[in-house]
Amino acid sequence: MPRNEFTLSKRKDSKIYYYYTYDETGKRVKFSTGKRTKAEAMQFCIELAKKNQLIPKKKTDFKTFSENWFILDKCLYIKGKKQRGQTFSQSWAKENRSILERYILPQFQNCKLSQIKALNIEKWLLELPDISNSTKNKILNTLKIMLSEAKRLGLLENNPAENVKPLHRNNKLRGILTTIEVKELFD
């Protein structure tokens, strides 16, 4: 006998209706409708069922998503790339992990992936403390890699970082010290 898509109930101590449904493993799960009348709750559930959204999509937070990123033996991104024939040095992974921990996580760790927008990234990038634009571009590239993979895996509909343009490289002019500068340096 097939199961109903959902059933409604209301706890005695609550004024809100809840609905029960079954997840992909067959486990019964409960969600709030946020509605106080049975008619509103029923309409709410019917609309969700039409959209095939009775089970809400889990919104992954950035901290959880980035947990094993750039750790050679644990990072699924690196494992997948290696099995597809690409190579990664330990120093590349270590540098990107450092960038993630030092610059990206402090800003985005409490955000859901879907909450990260191009405007947030743009403002954050421009407000990074006294570091060169080249370093800022490395940081942006690390974030782009991560969000691009989130999009590929279906965790994001689009990559907000792909709309953020890299900054102009501000290379400092380097030269040779003059004799006077050398004498001043060693005096």
Side-chain angles (χ1 to χ4, degrees):
M1 179 171 119
R3 296 179 177 154
N4 290 337
E5 285 190 72
F6 64 88
T7 56
L8 288 174
S9 72
K10 182 173 150 182
R11 293 190 330 220
K12 290 180 182 180
D13 62 339
S14 175
K15 296 178 181 178
I16 303 292
Y17 277 87
Y18 293 85
Y19 69 93
Y20 292 89
T21 190
Y22 294 89
D23 67 11
E24 62 277 353
T25 65
K27 181 181 173 190
R28 189 172 184 215
V29 289
K30 176 174 99 172
F31 301 99
S32 171
T33 65
K35 308 298 180 189
R36 293 178 180 261
T37 67
K38 189 171 187 175
E40 288 177 330
M42 181 65 75
Q43 187 59 39
F44 176 80
C45 291
I46 289 170
E47 291 299 317
L48 287 178
K50 284 179 186 176
K51 298 176 191 173
N52 199 21
Q53 295 177 348
L54 280 170
I55 307 234
K57 291 181 181 177
K58 289 186 179 177
K59 295 187 177 184
T60 306
D61 66 334
F62 190 83
K63 186 175 183 179
T64 303
F65 173 71
S66 65
E67 189 172 44
N68 292 321
W69 268 86
F70 306 114
I71 300 172
L72 278 179
D73 297 338
K74 296 181 181 179
C75 180
L76 293 177
Y77 172 76
I78 292 175
K79 284 181 180 180
K81 292 288 188 178
K82 280 183 176 180
Q83 290 186 7
R84 291 177 178 93
Q86 293 184 355
T87 58
F88 293 92
S89 68
Q90 191 169 356
S91 63
W92 178 86
K94 193 174 183 179
E95 178 184 17
N96 281 285
R97 183 66 192 185
S98 175
I99 287 170
L100 172 63
E101 291 173 350
R102 187 169 180 193
Y103 297 106
I104 300 172
L105 275 176
Q107 179 66 28
F108 298 109
Q109 69 182 343
N110 296 323
C111 296
K112 301 288 183 205
L113 285 175
S114 59
Q115 292 175 325
I116 300 173
K117 305 294 180 202
L119 178 62
N120 306 114
I121 297 169
E122 184 81 28
K123 285 177 70 177
W124 161 75
L125 185 67
L126 296 174
E127 293 173 0
L128 282 171
D130 286 338
I131 54 177
S132 71
N133 284 354
S134 296
T135 303
K136 288 179 181 182
N137 287 338
K138 279 184 185 178
I139 295 166
L140 176 61
N141 191 50
T142 300
L143 184 61
K144 281 183 176 185
I145 289 169
M146 295 177 73
L147 295 180
S148 177
E149 185 68 359
K151 178 184 173 186
R152 188 186 74 81
L153 295 173
L155 299 172
L156 284 174
E157 290 188 26
N158 59 35
N159 176 359
E162 69 188 11
N163 296 322
V164 179
K165 298 190 185 305
L167 302 173
H168 176 71
R169 293 181 65 166
N170 50 355
N171 295 332
K172 293 180 180 177
L173 184 62
R174 296 181 184 170
I176 299 173
L177 295 174
T178 65
T179 310
I180 297 169
E181 291 172 330
V182 171
K183 284 181 182 179
E184 286 177 7
L185 185 64
F186 289 106
D187 279 346

